[in-house]
Amino acid sequence: MADRHPALKQTFAERARTAAHPLTRYLFRLMDLKASNLCLSADVTTARELLTLADKVGPSIVVLKTHYDLIAGWDYNPQTGTGAKLAALARKHGFLIFEDRKFVDIGKTVQLQYTAGTARIIEWAHITNANMDAGRDMVRAMAEAAANWKERIHYEVKTSVTVGTPVSDRFDDSDPQQEPASQAQSQSQAARPQREGGGGDKGEMLDVVSHQQRGRDNTDVDGRKGSIVSITTVTQSFEPADSPRLTKSHHDQGDDAVFPGIEEAPVDRGLLLLAQMSSRGCLMTADYTRACVEAARDHRGFVMGFVAQEALNSAADDTFVHMTPGCKLPPPGEEENGQVGGDGLGQQYNTPSKLVTVCGTDIVIVGRGITEAGDPPSEAERYRRRAWKAYLARLA
Ligand code: 6AU
């Protein structure tokens, strides 16, 4: 550990003023405001459990970590689906969403996995992580993808359909780069890159679906209903998006609440490099960890910091944040004495005080310690108090 780095003795409020990444600055402010350095790893297996847990434990945490690919019933609708609902809970309770995707592939593939496909992780996750085994170019590719995406969503498009066609209530699952036919069917969506700048646009679309494509009941092969031929007049106006919010509020669902004391999270996206792992026999070497730190320094505008087992800031101008999994407390009433064993499947646990006070991490990531407790919200509070106390002990 870089044990003499000044960041270890700085408060989160102080680090909020100096961190290089806007989302890291926001996160440190949130930590100071909520007196929390706790991330919940919400490793449950249904969307319903995930949303319920996020709502209940939200007040105690500053980061909610997901593995979207282990959630049954994940709704991919970018406006009303599980990601959008999590984003609303994040605004309400004041936490950031961290999709623990551990990207590792060639640059082009990770760009698509991050921004496109079914999950469109970039749309709802403030933070994601990557395994650097694929090399530094992968980090550059992800940084470019995030910059392009941010540029694209800078403008909000408002679309009004003046002569309607029957519209599917399913979401548009077409390529987000492809426009404009599907887009015209939405009342309002995040802007797409094909038009930037202010002003409006008016045009007519001819929507033709052949008889051969249709099944019974005037339903086409992918289940949509619609006219055989319809003409739709579309008016689109492009406005700069004032709010960092990406998904529209659905007032009828009551998801418009915003956590008091801080503005909404910035629209910037951030990456954590998986620099060290908690698992027994992990093959990540010291050279690999060093390469992660160097890559982070090369991409300070995108890399927020590390998933690691210790603090890795070493250069004077390193302002990275550290998040550490493999964290567990002994049962209530038992003494905290550092090591708390493992899960029998390679996971190794340490207590919050060892990880924060001794190893210098900033945020502890806790999964089963909370999710498998009898009362997850009160257990989350116990973890929050212990991790915060460990941070205060480090400052002292
Ligand atoms: O507290 P647990 O053991 O129930 O869950 C730990 C969570 C899991 C792991 O996928 C993740 O943390 N994790 C990671 C991450 C966050 O990248 C790295 C690591 O080294 N160990 C680890 O457990 O969701």
Side-chain angles (χ1 to χ4, degrees), residues 44-45 57 65 105 113 184 208 231 243-244 247 272 292 299 310:
V44 290
T45 54
V57 174
K65 189 175 80 62
D105 213 314
Q113 288 171 322
V208 181
I231 298 171
S243 157
T247 49
L272 298 172
C292 287
H299 297 282
E310 59 184 345

Side-chain angles (χ1 to χ4, degrees), residues 105-114:
D105 213 314
I106 59 163
K108 185 64 195 172
T109 301
V110 291
Q111 284 185 335
L112 294 172
Q113 288 171 322
Y114 187 26

Side-chain angles (χ1 to χ4, degrees), residues 50-51 54-55 64 66 74 81-92 95 97 124 126:
L50 172 66
L51 294 170
D55 200 18
L64 179 91
T66 53
W74 184 278
T82 310
K85 287 193 172 108
L86 276 181
L89 290 171
R91 288 193 292 274
K92 173 177 159 192
F95 60 76
I97 303 166
W124 50 269
H126 304 97

Side-chain angles (χ1 to χ4, degrees), residues 41 43 65 67 100 102 129 277-278 325 347 349 367-368:
S41 183
D43 298 336
K65 189 175 80 62
H67 281 292
D100 185 3
K102 296 185 180 71
N129 57 353
M277 287 197 71
S278 58
Q347 177 67 300
Y349 290 112
R368 286 163 288 179

Side-chain angles (χ1 to χ4, degrees), residues 165-168 181-182 185 205-232:
T165 51
V167 171
S168 164
S182 54
Q185 295 185 338
M205 286 193 321
L206 198 60
D207 178 12
V208 181
V209 180
S210 75
H211 284 282
Q212 285 87 340
Q213 283 179 293
R214 292 185 172 280
R216 288 199 192 106
D217 303 329
N218 204 29
T219 305
D220 68 19
V221 283
D222 71 349
R224 276 185 299 190
K225 289 194 176 185
S227 319
I228 292 174
V229 176
S230 61
I231 298 171
T232 309

